[in-house]
Amino acid sequence: MTATTHAPAAGAASPESPFTPGTARIGFIGLGNMGSGMTRNLQAAGFHLVVNDVRKESAAELLANGAEWADTAAAVAAGSDVVITMLPTPKHVESVAMGLGGILEGLPDGGTWVDMSTSVPEVANRVREAGEARGLRVLDAPVSGMSVGAANGMLQIFVGGEAADVERLRPVFEAMGDPERILHVGGHGAGYAVKLMINQLWFSHLVATAEVLSTGVKAGVDLEVLRQALIASPANSNFVQNDVLSILNHGDYDEGFAIALACKDLGLSVDLARSVGVPVELSSLVEQLYRRAKALYGDKAGEMTPVKLYEDAIGVQLRTGSGAAAEGA
């Protein structure tokens, strides 16, 4: 994975970029937990928005601040300089891009589509192939940083596609993400692959951390003492040091990202590994644990809910400070 260096400051268009805040029209489809924050930051940067979602009420704030509503994805594409999608699954992406009233119908010759969903290369490849004679530009640019990063404009963005297109769109990406973490990771599809591998490793960190903390606590070690020992050791990780604190301090399993979507992402990453001939026994087991947690706690449970599998198994809630580990979870 290689990072493209860049000089422009956040929100500043490069000399060759046509995407200047105040003049460029950005189409955006998908105003959920991620898309809502991303569009607010685009609007705050000065971009004019043309938006669509299955729930028009999700666009109320944007519309009140000057955005335009379009009834179809085709209308979004026809009225924009670039159209962005942020959708739950590859199936949704394909429907919005290639279905009746979809992006392909409205995108003008030479137009640009950027898919920022966690998806797979096949859908974008079909769109690119269908639009090749029309000179359509297609990029995959999935993100990391959860809904908090989307809200504060500090997402990490992994872009696959032509380098020239990445630079043209950099002012748009910088309105939504951390300028130092907008990475051109390779050709078409590389962005999707990088994001899936990040998810796959993060979910594995979560399960491994849950097992270690649960075992240590049942063996009589103080939970925070154990965590600090892990942090001081070669086994430290960002998950142990930071991400797990939402559970340990607040009992928050991150319902901002549903476990059903986490299971979808794990399935996509395992499928990708199999498609390129890599045996992923550990990731397959992590996927099974996630699916068991989804079955027990429901589709809308948070993405960190598999920790509850271990808490329930040992009869202890893993809590520190005011929420200290307590028997009888």
Side-chain angles (χ1 to χ4, degrees):
M1 183 175 74
T2 57
T4 302
T5 59
H6 57 283
S14 65
E16 298 180 356
S17 175
F19 298 103
T20 306
T23 59
R25 295 168 59 87
I26 309 298
F28 204 105
I29 302 170
L31 305 176
N33 287 333
M34 298 296 291
S36 58
M38 295 161 74
T39 47
R40 283 196 298 271
N41 284 308
L42 284 167
Q43 196 170 58
F47 289 105
H48 183 80
L49 297 181
V50 182
V51 298
N52 176 269
D53 190 85
V54 292
R55 299 182 306 111
K56 188 172 182 178
E57 59 269 25
S58 65
E61 180 182 343
L62 298 170
L63 299 178
N65 290 322
E68 295 179 34
W69 175 263
D71 287 329
T72 66
V76 171
S80 308
D81 297 309
V82 57
V83 58
I84 296 171
T85 46
M86 189 61 172
L87 299 165
T89 69
K91 180 179 179 180
H92 291 100
V93 173
E94 183 164 28
S95 175
V96 166
M98 303 188 73
L100 183 64
I103 291 169
L104 273 179
E105 287 186 17
L107 202 63
D109 292 352
T112 301
W113 169 46
V114 181
D115 183 30
M116 303 189 77
S117 317
T118 300
S119 188
V120 291
E122 288 78 11
V123 175
N125 288 345
R126 285 195 287 272
V127 174
R128 193 170 61 255
E129 290 166 6
E132 187 173 6
R134 296 167 52 198
L136 301 185
R137 301 171 184 270
V138 177
L139 292 88
D140 49 292
V143 305
S144 182
M146 298 185 279
S147 56
V148 173
N152 63 24
M154 293 299 286
L155 291 170
Q156 188 170 11
I157 304 175
F158 313 99
V159 193
E162 299 295 332
D165 291 332
V166 176
E167 291 310 309
R168 288 170 61 245
L169 286 157
R170 190 167 291 281
V172 178
F173 293 139
E174 289 186 347
M176 298 179 284
D178 179 355
E180 299 303 320
R181 298 195 302 160
I182 297 168
L183 306 179
H184 180 206
V185 295
H188 299 291
Y192 290 138
V194 168
K195 176 59 194 303
L196 288 175
M197 295 305 96
I198 289 171
N199 284 0
Q200 183 174 318
L201 186 56
W202 191 87
F203 294 135
S204 296
H205 277 305
L206 180 142
V207 171
T209 300
E211 288 190 353
V212 166
L213 295 183
S214 298
T215 302
V217 166
K218 286 299 283 185
V221 182
D222 178 83
L223 177 58
E224 184 57 19
V225 169
L226 175 57
R227 193 179 75 89
Q228 290 300 329
L230 293 170
I231 290 171
S233 79
N236 188 30
S237 70
N238 185 66
F239 190 90
V240 170
Q241 191 162 352
N242 297 303
D243 294 346
V244 76
L245 289 176
S246 68
I247 294 175
L248 304 189
N249 292 347
H250 310 292
D252 177 5
Y253 300 90
D254 188 20
E255 293 183 359
F257 191 81
I259 195 170
L261 293 176
C263 288
K264 180 267 297 183
D265 288 353
L266 271 165
L268 292 177
S269 70
V270 170
D271 287 346
L272 176 63
R274 289 170 178 160
S275 74
V276 295
V278 178
V280 285
E281 290 91 345
L282 175 60
S283 296
S284 297
L285 178 57
V286 170
E287 182 190 7
Q288 291 176 35
L289 287 164
Y290 259 80
R291 294 194 181 281
R292 180 151 64 91
K294 180 171 77 76
L296 286 173
Y297 307 116
D299 289 1
K300 295 182 179 180
E303 64 176 329
M304 298 171 76
T305 299
V307 173
K308 284 179 64 64
L309 293 174
Y310 295 89
E311 292 178 328
D312 290 350
I314 66 174
V316 175
Q317 286 188 323
L318 299 173
R319 303 288 184 270
T320 58
S322 61
E327 297 287 343

